[in-house]
Amino acid sequence: TESTVEFDPMEFLREFNYGRTSMLPDGTTLREFTIIAEDDGVMEVAPGVFYNVWTFNGTVPGPTIRATQGDLVRIHFINNGEKEHTMHFHGIHRPEFDGVFEPVGPGGGRFTYEWRAEPVGVHPYHCHVMPLEEHIVHGLYGVYIVDPKEERPPADEMVMVLNGLDTDFDTENNLYGANTIPFYYQHHPIQIAVGEKIRLYVVNMLEFDPINNFHLHGNLFHYYPTGTDTVPSFYTDMITLSQTERGIMEFSYDFPGKYLFHAHKVEFSEKGWSGIFLAEGP
Amino acid sequence: TESTVEFDPMEFLREFNYGRTSMLPDGTTLREFTIIAEDDGVMEVAPGVFYNVWTFNGTVPGPTIRATQGDLVRIHFINNGEKEHTMHFHGIHRPEFDGVFEPVGPGGGRFTYEWRAEPVGVHPYHCHVMPLEEHIVHGLYGVYIVDPKEERPPADEMVMVLNGLDTDFDTENNLYGANTIPFYYQHHPIQIAVGEKIRLYVVNMLEFDPINNFHLHGNLFHYYPTGTDTVPSFYTDMITLSQTERGIMEFSYDFPGKYLFHAHKVEFSEKGWSGIFLAEGP
Amino acid sequence: TESTVEFDPMEFLREFNYGRTSMLPDGTTLREFTIIAEDDGVMEVAPGVFYNVWTFNGTVPGPTIRATQGDLVRIHFINNGEKEHTMHFHGIHRPEFDGVFEPVGPGGGRFTYEWRAEPVGVHPYHCHVMPLEEHIVHGLYGVYIVDPKEERPPADEMVMVLNGLDTDFDTENNLYGANTIPFYYQHHPIQIAVGEKIRLYVVNMLEFDPINNFHLHGNLFHYYPTGTDTVPSFYTDMITLSQTERGIMEFSYDFPGKYLFHAHKVEFSEKGWSGIFLAEGP
Ligand SMILES: [Cu+2]
Ligand SMILES: [Cu+2]
Ligand SMILES: [Cu+2]
Ligand SMILES: [Cu+2]
Ligand SMILES: [Cu+2]
Ligand SMILES: [Cu+2]
Ligand code: NA
Ligand code: NA
Ligand code: NA
Ligand code: NA
Ligand code: NA
Ligand code: NA
Ligand SMILES: [Zn+2]
Ligand SMILES: [Zn+2]
Ligand SMILES: [Zn+2]
Ligand SMILES: [Zn+2]
Ligand SMILES: [Zn+2]
Ligand SMILES: [Zn+2]
Ligand SMILES: [Zn+2]
Ligand SMILES: [Zn+2]
Ligand SMILES: [Zn+2]
């Protein structure tokens, strides 16, 4: 039983899931999310290349889950796959909600994860069932953002998960990208406005390779490693990330036109991890 | 002539060697250490896997040498091995005590290294005889901590050396770990107290692989790269380290239970670089 | 038509090209540089090892281009090679001067790049024609320094480009070094003065390998990642850099003698990425 997976990286880029909200008696905001795992999806990741994707809510990456520091986050997890899966979130939580020692059974197994959203930052989530590299490289991961109570300044916000695809099962990636589809944002440039602040939440989920990296053309960005501070640590055009390293990049372009961004590990950029910002405006 | 090496990673974890102390006329504390190198040890590193370890004072890693900034450190080094060896310390010292250009002969060769302990931080030491990768992968390394004169706040302090074993001599590691024995702290969780500050001195000595990394579950830690500052640089759950990169992690757990820590380079974690903190208390 | 390339790493080390300067009506300093690309050079990179180098102004790395923040930089680029080439600078500039979408034809093609020097820091430049790894590993790169308007304190300033040579065309480097020639600064130690501040601009251009690193012996250095700030971020003896990561190191030696510096990725140091500082003086 295979199902065909459709995925639109342009839609994913700026889509944030804030959950179903309600207020608890003590004034805390409760955010509830329902996440369904499946492992029978097939996606055409490049022309003629079909890949067995394992998905949270039907896509790779899964939905970008977003809360404000101190909110109560409740995840209703349902495993509709044929293998055991879990959700393991980076961030602070009780060990019983860590998604490691309690695999959730296939065919409809359920588990509810719950914690106060801590700390401020951008964090990955992923399945933590062994063999871990298999569950990751097939796509069971996503991004979890905890906003500070005092909001960051307004910006055009985006999420990029840096990932890869091992299409011939030899534990080496054959294709690379930001948000799964090789060269997607190169063939479909990301439209931004001249002079507008861009805030990019970037998470490296690349399996097998020791590191990934991100280079921005014609500009530098302020970089907040892990996003846990509201003061940037670096001003650069190059960051290096091993698996699950992540952060927030902020920048704006002063001149209209096309600007590449890509891995400066050339092999990765030539196999798909390359895109374009198209800055338009006055 | 082989000798059987026994090693207890749980004992090593919290064992600090402050040397034999005396006071110099000017009030300086002199700390003297005697370190003996051997290269004929055999250790059962995993069930049925025997590995030729080269040792400082009989273990891999060697003893954790600890001094306070400004102390006079004097190392009486004796090479009881069958090959030339030295001790090269990271940190500040005169070139004649650098352990590079003066190999110490086998069969009882001696050399005395001496310097003022500088700077504050956590530093590796290792043999610096060529071929360097052979002397490192067999185990001739350890940790050297320089405490600030004004002590860091009280904490449950630990040392982890991230390392690997190339058991089939093909210049690729077959086994990985923290403090040499694959999966040791997973099979023997490290007991800590809920609410108590943990201070972990971590040093990456992994040979062959370009980087190593360290992920902590259910929590984030304050990270002091190289330990040279008393203000943390990062608050994260993931660090990436190439060989001899090191730092200090500080964190505490609020909830009792089991928390994994491991390489997020999945290959390494599945070959042994994985452990558990068991937090107990009220 | 081959040409023999001579290169003196000791001369390159401290050679800065400030361009031909003139003053614009508004008081801005204009700095003009003429850079000529060629791709038929042959250099003896190690005894008996001849390598086809592609050069900017006849050397690998190309000239170190230097300006002060806010200067107008104008690069007159001439491609005298047999393949298309460009100049892509890291830093801030209009997209039409990015050297990506406008390849410059062989046999004398010309292009003029121009921008205000921004931001303060040490930046790489390199050809950006595909296949990028070929244009980089053959040598089409160099360093571009933007000084702050208020000059950094006086120092003995040097540039090291960390690079490698794939002499058998299998997309793995066979030789490594700082400034191209394996072991050059080990066979010809860099003379420095005891007590004098050293300021080292270091840029990693290594192709193929995921990371490079730099270890300094007997000392630590203050490190300014990307050189964009005038306050150092780290005090350490080890940095890890992926391709085009770079920064400024500052240090001085208190004691005369020989101090190694090298990759702590042992493979790289044993294949040429190793040198010596010879500190002389009172
Ligand atoms: Cu660029
Ligand atoms: Cu993870
Ligand atoms: Cu985790
Ligand atoms: Cu070392
Ligand atoms: Cu050293
Ligand atoms: Cu570049
Ligand atoms: Na593959
Ligand atoms: Na492959
Ligand atoms: Na091996
Ligand atoms: Na192996
Ligand atoms: Na090669
Ligand atoms: Na090779
Ligand atoms: Zn799974
Ligand atoms: Zn994890
Ligand atoms: Zn580029
Ligand atoms: Zn040795
Ligand atoms: Zn060293
Ligand atoms: Zn984990
Ligand atoms: Zn070129
Ligand atoms: Zn570039
Ligand atoms: Zn060394």
Side-chain angles (χ1 to χ4, degrees):
Chain A
T1 72
E2 287 182 1
S3 70
T4 298
V5 169
E6 304 287 343
F7 179 60
D8 180 344
M10 198 57 79
E11 194 181 313
F12 175 83
L13 184 71
R14 293 180 173 105
E15 192 164 61
F16 302 95
N17 187 335
Y18 292 89
R20 303 179 298 281
T21 61
S22 55
M23 188 170 294
L24 301 179
D26 70 354
T28 299
T29 298
L30 169 67
R31 295 186 186 275
E32 294 185 88
F33 302 84
T34 300
I35 307 287
I36 299 171
E38 292 173 285
D39 49 27
D40 67 345
V42 173
M43 185 162 82
E44 188 172 11
V45 293
V49 180
F50 294 85
Y51 190 69
N52 172 212
V53 286
W54 302 5
T55 57
F56 288 128
N57 284 2
T59 58
V60 177
T64 298
I65 293 173
R66 192 159 184 175
T68 298
Q69 184 178 29
D71 290 350
L72 190 66
V73 174
R74 188 176 293 155
I75 310 277
H76 302 274
F77 176 59
I78 304 167
N79 180 4
N80 284 343
E82 294 166 13
K83 298 164 185 282
E84 292 185 332
H85 299 296
T86 66
M87 296 191 80
H88 163 71
F89 283 73
H90 288 213
I92 298 174
H93 48 253
R94 288 181 172 272
E96 51 266 41
F97 298 131
D98 197 38
V100 172
F101 300 112
E102 305 81 8
V104 180
R110 284 162 182 262
F111 196 92
T112 302
Y113 303 97
E114 186 179 299
W115 55 78
R116 298 269 161 181
E118 292 283 354
V120 166
V122 50
H123 310 300
Y125 66 82
H126 57 89
C127 177
H128 207 295
V129 169
M130 301 291 165
L132 192 53
E133 60 191 15
E134 190 183 7
H135 290 245
I136 289 180
V137 80
H138 281 279
L140 285 172
Y141 48 77
V143 176
Y144 162 51
I145 296 170
V146 179
D147 289 312
K149 285 178 183 172
E150 190 163 337
E151 283 180 33
R152 297 179 195 270
D156 181 2
E157 298 202 325
M158 303 173 192
V159 170
M160 288 191 197
V161 177
L162 311 184
N163 51 7
L165 302 167
D166 174 15
T167 57
D168 55 1
F169 317 114
D170 64 353
T171 73
E172 293 191 358
N173 293 301
N174 303 71
L175 298 171
Y176 294 84
N179 298 337
T180 310
I181 306 297
F183 298 114
Y184 188 88
Y185 301 117
Q186 185 158 327
H187 299 149
H188 307 81
I190 298 169
Q191 295 190 34
I192 59 175
V194 166
E196 185 171 11
K197 185 196 290 268
I198 309 299
R199 180 174 298 121
L200 181 48
Y201 298 89
V202 60
V203 178
N204 178 41
M205 285 306 304
L206 193 59
E207 188 45 74
F208 306 127
D209 292 288
I211 59 103
N212 204 338
N213 53 25
F214 190 121
H215 169 54
L216 185 68
H217 269 235
N219 213 343
L220 284 82
F221 52 83
H222 295 277
Y223 188 62
Y224 305 73
T226 317
T228 45
D229 203 342
T230 52
V231 176
S233 299
F234 302 108
Y235 183 52
T236 189
D237 56 34
M238 261 299 299
I239 50 171
T240 302
L241 305 169
S242 71
Q243 193 180 67
T244 72
E245 283 194 302
R246 68 280 188 186
I248 302 172
M249 298 164 49
E250 289 181 349
F251 57 94
S252 67
Y253 279 101
D254 288 339
F255 312 113
K258 288 194 294 181
Y259 300 92
L260 277 180
F261 59 93
H262 60 86
H264 226 294
K265 181 77 174 74
V266 174
E267 178 195 356
F268 301 171
S269 64
E270 295 188 347
K271 292 177 177 169
W273 172 190
S274 181
I276 291 174
F277 285 113
L278 175 59
E280 294 178 309
Chain B
T1 74
E2 287 181 0
S3 68
T4 298
V5 169
E6 305 286 343
F7 178 61
D8 180 345
M10 198 57 77
E11 194 182 311
F12 175 84
L13 184 72
R14 293 181 172 105
E15 192 164 60
F16 301 95
N17 187 336
Y18 291 90
R20 302 180 299 280
T21 62
S22 54
M23 189 171 292
L24 300 179
D26 71 353
T28 299
T29 298
L30 170 66
R31 294 184 187 276
E32 294 184 89
F33 302 83
T34 299
I35 307 287
I36 299 171
E38 291 174 284
D39 49 27
D40 66 346
V42 173
M43 187 161 83
E44 190 172 8
V45 292
V49 180
F50 293 85
Y51 190 69
N52 172 213
V53 287
W54 302 4
T55 57
F56 288 127
N57 284 3
T59 57
V60 177
T64 297
I65 293 173
R66 193 158 183 176
T68 298
Q69 184 179 30
D71 290 348
L72 190 67
V73 175
R74 188 176 293 155
I75 310 277
H76 302 275
F77 175 58
I78 304 169
N79 179 3
N80 283 343
E82 293 167 12
K83 297 166 185 282
E84 291 185 333
H85 300 296
T86 66
M87 295 190 79
H88 164 71
F89 283 73
H90 288 213
I92 298 174
H93 47 254
R94 290 181 170 273
E96 52 266 40
F97 298 130
D98 197 37
V100 171
F101 300 112
E102 307 80 7
V104 180
R110 284 161 182 262
F111 196 91
T112 303
Y113 301 96
E114 187 180 297
W115 56 76
R116 298 268 161 182
E118 290 284 355
V120 167
V122 50
H123 309 301
Y125 65 84
H126 56 89
C127 177
H128 207 296
V129 168
M130 300 291 164
L132 192 54
E133 59 191 15
E134 191 183 7
H135 290 245
I136 289 180
V137 81
H138 281 279
L140 285 171
Y141 48 75
V143 176
Y144 162 52
I145 295 170
V146 179
D147 290 312
K149 285 179 183 171
E150 190 163 338
E151 282 179 34
R152 298 181 194 268
D156 181 3
E157 298 201 324
M158 304 173 193
V159 170
M160 288 190 198
V161 178
L162 311 184
N163 51 7
L165 302 166
D166 174 14
T167 56
D168 55 0
F169 317 114
D170 64 352
T171 73
E172 293 191 357
N173 294 300
N174 302 70
L175 297 171
Y176 294 83
N179 299 338
T180 311
I181 306 297
F183 297 113
Y184 189 87
Y185 301 117
Q186 185 158 325
H187 298 149
H188 307 81
I190 298 170
Q191 295 189 32
I192 60 174
V194 166
E196 185 171 10
K197 186 196 288 268
I198 309 299
R199 181 173 297 121
L200 180 50
Y201 299 89
V202 60
V203 178
N204 177 41
M205 286 304 305
L206 193 58
E207 187 46 73
F208 307 127
D209 293 288
I211 58 103
N212 204 338
N213 52 25
F214 190 121
H215 168 53
L216 185 68
H217 270 235
N219 213 343
L220 284 81
F221 52 83
H222 294 277
Y223 189 63
Y224 304 75
T226 315
T228 45
D229 204 340
T230 51
V231 176
S233 299
F234 302 107
Y235 182 54
T236 189
D237 56 33
M238 261 300 299
I239 50 172
T240 302
L241 305 168
S242 72
Q243 192 180 68
T244 74
E245 282 194 303
R246 69 281 189 185
I248 301 173
M249 297 164 50
E250 289 181 350
F251 57 94
S252 66
Y253 278 100
D254 288 340
F255 312 113
K258 288 194 293 180
Y259 299 92
L260 276 179
F261 59 92
H262 60 85
H264 226 295
K265 181 79 173 74
V266 175
E267 179 196 355
F268 302 171
S269 64
E270 294 188 348
K271 293 177 177 170
W273 171 191
S274 181
I276 291 174
F277 285 113
L278 175 58
E280 295 178 308
Chain C
T1 73
E2 289 182 0
S3 71
T4 299
V5 168
E6 305 285 345
F7 179 59
D8 180 345
M10 198 57 78
E11 195 181 312
F12 175 83
L13 184 73
R14 292 180 172 104
E15 192 163 60
F16 301 96
N17 188 335
Y18 291 89
R20 301 180 300 280
T21 62
S22 54
M23 188 171 292
L24 300 180
D26 70 355
T28 298
T29 298
L30 170 65
R31 295 186 186 275
E32 294 185 271
F33 301 84
T34 300
I35 307 287
I36 299 170
E38 291 174 286
D39 50 27
D40 67 345
V42 174
M43 186 161 81
E44 189 173 11
V45 291
V49 180
F50 293 85
Y51 191 70
N52 172 212
V53 287
W54 301 6
T55 58
F56 288 127
N57 284 3
T59 57
V60 177
T64 298
I65 292 173
R66 193 157 182 175
T68 297
Q69 183 179 30
D71 289 350
L72 190 66
V73 174
R74 188 176 293 155
I75 310 276
H76 302 275
F77 176 59
I78 304 168
N79 180 4
N80 283 345
E82 294 166 14
K83 297 166 185 281
E84 292 185 332
H85 300 295
T86 66
M87 294 190 82
H88 164 69
F89 283 72
H90 289 213
I92 298 174
H93 48 254
R94 287 180 173 275
E96 51 266 40
F97 298 131
D98 196 38
V100 171
F101 301 111
E102 307 81 6
V104 181
R110 284 160 182 263
F111 195 93
T112 303
Y113 302 96
E114 187 180 297
W115 56 76
R116 298 269 161 179
E118 291 284 354
V120 166
V122 49
H123 309 301
Y125 66 83
H126 57 89
C127 177
H128 207 295
V129 168
M130 299 293 164
L132 192 54
E133 60 190 13
E134 189 183 9
H135 289 246
I136 288 180
V137 80
H138 281 279
L140 284 172
Y141 48 77
V143 176
Y144 162 51
I145 296 169
V146 180
D147 290 311
K149 285 178 183 170
E150 189 163 340
E151 282 179 35
R152 297 180 196 269
D156 181 4
E157 297 201 326
M158 305 174 192
V159 170
M160 288 191 199
V161 178
L162 311 184
N163 51 6
L165 302 167
D166 174 13
T167 57
D168 56 0
F169 318 115
D170 64 353
T171 72
E172 293 191 0
N173 293 301
N174 302 70
L175 298 170
Y176 295 83
N179 297 337
T180 309
I181 307 296
F183 297 113
Y184 188 87
Y185 301 116
Q186 185 159 324
H187 299 148
H188 307 82
I190 298 170
Q191 295 189 34
I192 60 175
V194 166
E196 186 170 10
K197 186 196 287 267
I198 309 299
R199 181 174 297 120
L200 180 50
Y201 298 89
V202 60
V203 178
N204 177 42
M205 287 305 304
L206 194 57
E207 188 45 73
F208 307 126
D209 292 288
I211 58 103
N212 205 337
N213 53 24
F214 190 121
H215 169 54
L216 186 68
H217 269 235
N219 214 343
L220 284 81
F221 51 84
H222 295 278
Y223 188 62
Y224 305 74
T226 316
T228 44
D229 203 340
T230 52
V231 175
S233 298
F234 302 108
Y235 183 52
T236 189
D237 56 35
M238 261 300 299
I239 51 172
T240 302
L241 305 168
S242 72
Q243 193 178 68
T244 73
E245 282 193 302
R246 67 281 189 186
I248 302 173
M249 297 164 51
E250 289 181 348
F251 56 93
S252 67
Y253 279 101
D254 288 340
F255 312 113
K258 289 194 293 181
Y259 299 92
L260 276 179
F261 58 93
H262 60 86
H264 225 293
K265 181 77 172 74
V266 174
E267 179 196 355
F268 302 171
S269 64
E270 294 187 349
K271 292 178 176 170
W273 172 190
S274 181
I276 291 173
F277 286 112
L278 176 58
E280 295 179 310

